[in-house]
Amino acid sequence: MSYPTYRNLIGGEWLPAKSGKTLLNLNPADHTDIVGAFPSSHAEDVELAVAAAKKAYATWRLVPAPKRAEVLVRAGILLQERKEKFAHDMTREMGKVLAETRGDVQEAIDEAFYVAGEGRRLFGVTAPSELQSKFAMSVRMPVGVVGLITPWNFPMAIPSWKLFPALVAGNTCVIKPASDTPLSTYNLVQTLVDAGVPAGVINIVCGSGSGVGTPLVEHPDVRAISFTGSSSVGSHVGQRAAATFKPVSLEMGGKNAQIVLNDANLDLALDGALWGAFGTTGQRCTATSRILLQKGIAAQFTEKLVARAKALKIGSGLDESVEVGPQVNPSQIETSASYVEIALAEGAQLLCGGHALTEGAYAKGTFFEPTVLGGVTPTMRIAREEVFGPVVSLIEFETFDEAIAIANSIDYGLSTALYTKDVNRAFAAMRDLESGITYINAPTIGAEVHLPFGGVKQTGNGHREGLGAIDFFTTWKAVYVDYSDKLQRAQIDNQQ
Ligand code: UN1
């Protein structure tokens, strides 16, 4: 089978990895379908990319921010024109269904138009000086060369969350896409190039975490790192970045709970649970992986959820009638299968699913059945650890306070959802749930780009994407202008 060979983008040129080696990008619904060969890069390629980004920074930082933003407006319009093609490419390399990959491209379009507006804001503050005839203000400065490390589950949206605010703020970028899904990042970056991003302002270096990610994180000329991925890799990234005092934004795992109270609209809660747990085949950091059911509705809800989970159509995401696509690669399937085993050994019950699908139309792909586990208790590993697959645990509770305590009893804190008609409980939950995002009567997935995205506890290290990304990609400078024509000593001359 013939397939295209892609290259790194370094200083405006498309170059192969110095090693000459490539990695194959396979369709997870059919591993005989090769999407393309991508460079298998290493430290020497990172070196060239960082040097190119450093050179481009000298001029990009001086382009007025509203002008930088115009590139994003043009990119947003081009993405609208290319949406259908890019969604197909993404389903082919990542697996999720077309409706969702269209949504992923749409998220990048939304981000382009949202962040373009920041080009005319990037506000600082002015403050009165304590001294006469002295002016005090604070301005946002770019950080410099930034390193961006992105995951495979939102292969265009998440790169856009990082690239667009970094660019509008005047930084230059080296991006390492996930090795499972580099094509969507290529499509995004090619669009930015077509929209007028100058050479060297964005560089792509493709390869593995150890080949590209580590040298990027450790490079002394890289001034900040923004990473989205697992908590174990994030911990490594954070520690390596700390060695060179780099600011690092980490967005990592979740174990997101949907709470359903007795008074909830059950059909709505069911729709939310199915979408939250099995949308993107459960491979979202915001995916619903625990459903907390109040005793009064637990049996009825469980029965309906299991029936609907069993009825979901699984297959290639390119088939418009399919509801659940494949998992991205064999190792994700192994993780799902091993967590089912762990859960059963701990005493949970398998209510449906639980197995990889390997026969007939599924034989060439990495498919896993939508899986519902009942009888889960809050201390089991399946109730505490991230699976990142189509596996959801049902936990029963008696009181609202107990539900909040269970929801909060884990190490993660990304997204939570509460289904109820009781406004008092809704507001109490908004206050008490320990998560960066809380939904009322909506599933744990579905964040919009112009709100803060990120979590507490082991989900992140305090930074936010969306509203908040500009804070990460800029650094404050305080500027004082003394127009008194004499030396004025702060804290001294104004004290007489
Ligand atoms: C992720 O969960 O990995 O909120 C990102 C959502 C999407 C982004 C999810 N807009 O579900």
Side-chain angles (χ1 to χ4, degrees):
M1 175 183 174
S2 74
Y3 48 81
T5 297
Y6 294 84
R7 296 177 162 198
N8 290 326
L9 179 63
I10 297 179
E13 285 183 74
W14 295 96
L15 302 172
K18 285 269 181 204
S19 69
K21 296 206 174 104
T22 56
L23 296 167
L24 291 184
N25 180 359
L26 308 180
N27 176 346
D30 175 358
H31 289 147
T32 61
D33 175 27
I34 300 169
V35 176
F38 288 82
S40 174
S41 313
H42 293 91
E44 63 266 29
D45 306 293
V46 173
E47 194 60 52
L48 288 178
V50 173
K54 193 174 173 184
K55 182 158 173 254
Y57 179 63
T59 45
W60 182 245
R61 73 183 186 91
L62 299 178
V63 175
K67 278 275 157 220
R68 295 194 295 249
E70 283 172 20
V71 174
L72 296 184
V73 175
R74 286 194 292 275
I77 292 167
L78 289 174
L79 285 171
Q80 284 175 323
E81 291 167 7
R82 300 173 184 181
K83 180 172 171 180
E84 199 54 30
K85 155 100 175 66
F86 287 175
H88 273 82
D89 281 351
M90 195 188 297
T91 294
R92 199 171 150 222
E93 72 170 346
M94 186 272 167
K96 63 186 174 183
V97 299
L98 277 173
E100 292 190 36
T101 50
R102 289 183 189 119
D104 195 312
V105 180
Q106 185 59 45
E107 202 157 332
I109 296 166
D110 296 344
E111 177 77 6
F113 295 142
Y114 165 55
V115 176
E118 291 303 314
R120 287 188 184 268
R121 285 187 286 265
L122 289 180
F123 296 138
V125 287
T126 57
S129 168
E130 63 192 43
L131 293 159
Q132 238 181 39
S133 301
K134 192 170 178 188
F135 191 82
M137 62 186 158
S138 57
V139 290
R140 290 180 183 272
M141 307 295 285
V143 176
V145 177
V146 296
L148 313 176
I149 302 175
T150 54
W152 46 261
N153 67 334
F154 276 80
M156 187 170 287
I158 293 181
S160 82
W161 295 358
K162 300 186 192 301
L163 280 171
F164 296 175
L167 290 176
V168 89
N171 304 287
T172 55
C173 307
V174 177
I175 183 165
K176 181 202 116 45
S179 21
D180 280 310
T181 57
L183 179 56
S184 296
T185 307
Y186 274 67
N187 285 339
L188 180 66
V189 171
Q190 181 65 61
T191 302
L192 283 160
V193 169
D194 296 343
V197 170
V201 169
I202 303 179
N203 305 275
I204 308 182
V205 185
C206 216
S208 67
S210 57
V212 177
T214 302
L216 189 59
V217 171
E218 292 180 346
H219 201 295
D221 288 337
V222 174
R223 298 281 181 237
I225 293 286
S226 179
F227 166 86
T228 299
S230 69
S231 294
S232 59
V233 177
S235 165
H236 173 77
V237 168
Q239 290 178 50
R240 298 311 306 158
T244 45
F245 306 108
K246 285 185 184 65
V248 53
S249 168
L250 302 172
E251 204 280 291
M252 302 170 293
K255 190 72 196 173
N256 312 293
Q258 172 178 319
I259 303 171
V260 187
L261 299 185
N262 285 340
D263 74 344
N265 174 340
L266 276 202
D267 288 329
L268 183 68
L270 269 168
D271 286 343
L274 279 162
W275 175 227
F278 303 126
T280 325
T281 320
Q283 301 170 120
R284 293 196 193 207
C285 25
T286 50
T288 306
S289 57
R290 297 179 294 157
I291 304 177
L292 278 44
L293 298 171
Q294 199 161 18
K295 286 258 161 61
I297 49 87
Q300 188 192 354
F301 187 95
T302 302
E303 192 188 323
K304 288 189 175 176
L305 179 74
V306 169
R308 288 188 55 184
K310 279 184 182 161
L312 288 169
K313 182 166 175 191
I314 308 163
S316 163
L318 292 169
D319 174 345
E320 298 268 7
S321 68
V322 161
E323 294 166 287
V324 180
Q327 289 208 255
V328 76
N329 62 36
S331 112
Q332 293 301 128
I333 293 283
E334 279 162 31
T335 306
S336 295
S338 75
Y339 269 104
V340 170
E341 271 176 41
I342 290 166
L344 297 184
E346 286 177 312
Q349 294 130 34
L350 186 60
L351 302 181
C352 69
H355 306 100
L357 292 165
T358 52
E359 303 291 315
Y362 300 120
K364 293 184 194 158
T366 39
F367 294 94
F368 200 86
E369 295 170 318
T371 300
V372 180
L373 294 161
V376 175
T377 59
T379 53
M380 292 181 182
R381 282 183 64 192
I382 191 64
R384 315 184 66 79
E385 296 175 20
E386 186 174 47
V387 179
F388 226 68
V391 179
V392 71
S393 296
L394 307 185
I395 303 174
E396 297 189 14
F397 66 88
E398 305 263 4
T399 66
F400 173 71
D401 288 346
E402 196 189 338
I404 299 286
I406 296 170
N408 289 344
S409 68
I410 49 156
D411 292 332
Y412 295 112
L414 181 53
S415 182
T416 46
L418 174 71
Y419 281 78
T420 184
K421 291 188 189 131
D422 181 336
V423 69
N424 293 350
R425 291 206 163 120
F427 272 84
M430 282 148 55
R431 182 192 60 200
D432 295 339
L433 285 169
E434 293 170 356
S435 58
I437 309 171
T438 291
Y439 293 91
I440 304 296
N441 292 326
T444 60
I445 65 177
E448 301 175 26
V449 296
H450 52 299
L451 279 92
F453 185 95
V456 299
K457 300 196 268 187
Q458 289 184 19
T459 291
N461 62 344
H463 297 286
R464 289 292 182 271
E465 309 207 71
L467 178 68
I470 292 292
D471 291 332
F472 183 72
F473 288 113
T474 55
T475 179
W476 284 115
K477 177 180 270 192
V479 180
Y480 302 92
V481 181
D482 190 323
Y483 55 100
S484 70
D485 220 21
K486 59 180 189 243
L487 173 68
Q488 300 195 83
R489 296 171 303 172
Q491 296 93 37
I492 298 172
D493 291 333
N494 55 353
Q495 296 305 312
Q496 284 133 23

